[in-house]
Amino acid sequence: ISLFQNLLAELGVELEVHVARNAKASGSVETRHNHWQRSFEGRLATAGFAHDLEELNGLAEKWAAVAGGERQHARHGQPPLAMWSQITEDQLVECPDRDTFFRLAASQPRTGTLDQRHWLQSKNRKWLVRGENVHGRQKVQFRVTPFAEAGIRVWDEFGRELAAEELRFDAAGFPQNGRRHVWDDETAPGATAPATPAQQISRAVVSGEDRVRLDGVFEGLDRRLARMAYLDRRGRTWSPTSPTPLAAEPVMGSLEAREEVARRLGRPLGGDADWWRERIGDGITRSALEAAWVEWSADVAMSEGRRRGGEHGTSTA
């Protein structure tokens, strides 16, 4: 039954499942079957049975044409064919091939990820997905279908269907109907980024304005500088009140610093390599290395003194 459920969902048909043994739920179907039995099958019994299946199908088609063209329907008071004739050409949907129906019935929705432009790609086709809660790197489920106007149906993680539009590209490979950044023109079709304060000032100067206001250009500068403080090199000192930044002490690389320590020790780093690696890190200044050498020398001297004191106490005992 899942095959039929998938197919009906793709065709946009709402499936209503009634409780078992509820005769009123299928009354219209049962009534049509009753007409068929009394009008067609009953006449076959009196006029003569068909000799083969081809003859039976021919008689059934003739009866369906007469019943659809003459017998009035109780709901709208017109023959079914008269109601069908009121359907306009733009309301008709071209029926796809048989393989498409089988693919829709047997396939399940797939999972995809939107990029930062809210694009979704599948088999060399791209769609722009829109919605109130759509964001970049969002996981969505989709199914390519010929019955949707965009050729695809997309759902978010909560099962809500999202709007999708297939992207068309020009000869240069730029999207004609999707998100596209256009430099220096925030009002152009497809532009996504507003003009920066610098761009606004540039346009004001080009247009010949007498007074160009710089409001907003340096707004929040202290906050932005604080956010970028981690980019300063290690050992550099700078103060906003200083007229010029102080000269920064050069930083030795980690390999150069370890070679310097090994040269002072007169041997390669052995069991104390972890201790020095923790102090040196990715780089260290000359003054910091000297301080670390003094600390290490003091630790070694203290350990040596404890060792000698232990040996003296043992020999005395």
Side-chain angles (χ1 to χ4, degrees):
I1 189 175
S2 59
L3 295 177
F4 295 99
Q5 291 176 344
N6 291 340
L7 180 59
L8 293 177
E10 290 303 318
L11 296 176
V13 178
E14 183 179 357
L15 179 61
E16 296 182 358
V17 181
H18 62 79
V19 182
R21 301 181 181 86
N22 183 10
K24 295 182 179 180
S26 57
S28 60
V29 178
E30 297 295 339
T31 302
R32 199 61 179 171
H33 287 171
N34 186 26
H35 294 165
W36 174 269
Q37 292 174 355
R38 290 191 304 170
S39 302
F40 178 69
E41 296 181 356
R43 293 179 182 178
L44 282 179
T46 58
F49 294 100
H51 296 84
D52 51 25
L53 182 60
E54 183 178 358
E55 183 180 356
L56 179 62
N57 289 335
L59 295 175
E61 292 179 0
K62 292 180 181 180
W63 180 88
V66 174
E70 297 179 355
R71 189 181 185 87
Q72 294 183 356
H73 199 283
R75 184 172 64 251
H76 47 72
Q78 299 184 36
L81 292 181
M83 292 298 296
W84 276 101
S85 63
Q86 298 179 14
I87 300 177
T88 59
E89 185 176 357
D90 57 335
Q91 294 176 328
L92 297 176
V93 178
E94 184 178 357
C95 182
D97 54 15
R98 187 169 180 267
D99 294 337
T100 301
F101 277 106
F102 276 106
R103 186 171 64 253
L104 294 177
S107 63
Q108 294 291 338
R110 292 182 291 170
T111 302
T113 304
L114 304 181
D115 62 10
Q116 297 298 336
R117 296 167 295 184
H118 302 173
W119 289 9
L120 177 64
Q121 182 175 356
S122 176
K123 295 183 179 180
N124 299 325
R125 298 174 65 184
K126 296 180 180 180
W127 291 268
L128 173 63
V129 180
R130 293 189 176 94
E132 182 178 357
N133 300 316
V134 175
H135 56 85
R137 311 305 302 171
Q138 180 181 3
K139 295 288 186 180
V140 295
Q141 287 189 328
F142 68 94
R143 177 182 287 169
V144 180
T145 171
F147 298 103
E149 183 177 356
I152 195 174
R153 296 183 66 187
V154 186
W155 300 270
D156 62 5
E157 61 272 21
F158 301 103
R160 297 172 297 193
E161 188 165 359
L162 304 174
E165 179 183 4
E166 187 169 5
L167 294 171
R168 300 183 303 274
F169 296 86
D170 56 18
F174 292 103
Q176 298 177 344
N177 57 331
R179 291 193 171 194
R180 175 181 176 183
H181 180 76
V182 180
W183 288 102
D184 204 33
D185 187 5
E186 73 277 10
T187 61
T192 58
T196 62
Q199 289 175 332
Q200 296 176 4
I201 294 174
S202 176
R203 294 173 191 170
V205 173
V206 173
S207 61
E209 295 186 13
D210 296 335
R211 299 182 61 184
V212 179
R213 298 181 61 87
L214 300 180
D215 298 343
V217 177
F218 299 102
E219 182 179 357
L221 181 60
D222 295 338
R223 183 176 66 257
R224 283 180 282 174
L225 289 176
R227 291 180 59 187
M228 294 186 292
Y230 70 94
L231 297 177
D232 294 340
R233 292 186 60 183
R234 187 173 301 180
R236 177 181 178 185
T237 58
W238 178 80
S239 174
T241 59
S242 301
T244 56
L246 301 177
E249 184 179 358
V251 179
M252 302 174 58
S254 60
L255 180 60
E256 181 183 359
R258 288 197 296 268
E259 291 178 349
E260 176 68 20
V261 174
R263 198 161 37 247
R264 294 187 182 187
L265 294 174
R267 60 173 175 81
L269 293 177
D272 45 12
D274 294 337
W275 191 95
W276 281 106
R277 188 180 299 109
E278 182 180 355
R279 267 66 175 179
I280 295 174
D282 296 334
I284 190 172
T285 61
R286 177 69 64 175
S287 59
L289 181 61
E290 293 295 338
W293 177 262
V294 173
E295 180 184 359
W296 181 85
S297 300
D299 292 344
V300 171
M302 185 179 298
S303 300
E304 185 67 20
R306 292 175 179 174
R307 185 181 63 82
R308 291 179 179 179
E311 292 178 353
H312 178 71
T314 304
S315 60
T316 302

